[in-house]
Amino acid sequence: PGTLFRGAYFGQSQFVELVARIQLNPHVSLIQGGDYRHSSMNLYNFGTYPASEWGPAGSYSSALDSSISQSSLFSSLLVTGLAEKLSIDLGARLNVNSRYGNN
């Protein structure tokens, strides 16, 4: 005999980003922005039952919930049009994550 699983999964993901570009002169731009991301998941396990010719037997219920969020700020100085084919981008980013902290 095998086993039967009965459950339900629900997930949600949200993302928002704001970016601004400021042209300082014809060759230099300042790009700044931030974003926020959030994901959550719920798994409802209504039971794993041994299968038989009479149908599933036994019962239990459990739930698994998980979520993660991250906020970020970033800034970049972009220099273009140097020597016709050269561009330079110098940037920094800060991530604040609910699971692994800041980096």
Side-chain angles (χ1 to χ4, degrees):
T3 58
L4 302 173
F5 170 80
R6 194 178 76 156
Y9 170 81
F10 302 96
Q12 182 177 25
S13 182
Q14 299 168 331
F15 176 80
V16 64
E17 181 178 45
L18 180 64
V19 178
R21 179 178 178 170
I22 302 164
Q23 195 72 39
L24 300 176
N25 69 43
H27 299 287
V28 180
S29 299
L30 180 63
I31 301 168
Q32 295 182 313
D35 68 45
Y36 176 76
R37 304 160 192 248
H38 178 80
S39 298
S40 61
M41 183 274 301
N42 307 95
L43 172 65
Y44 299 98
N45 181 357
F46 300 115
T48 302
Y49 310 94
S52 71
E53 62 185 88
W54 309 105
S59 67
Y60 69 90
S61 179
S62 66
L64 172 64
D65 298 327
S66 182
S67 67
I68 189 169
S69 61
Q70 177 175 297
S71 300
S72 299
L73 295 174
F74 53 88
S75 184
S76 179
L77 186 64
L78 178 62
V79 181
T80 59
L82 300 174
E84 296 183 22
K85 294 184 180 182
L86 177 64
S87 295
I88 299 172
D89 187 3
L90 177 65
R93 181 182 189 97
L94 171 65
N95 293 330
V96 179
N97 188 288
S98 64
R99 295 276 174 109
Y100 65 77
N102 303 346
N103 79 14

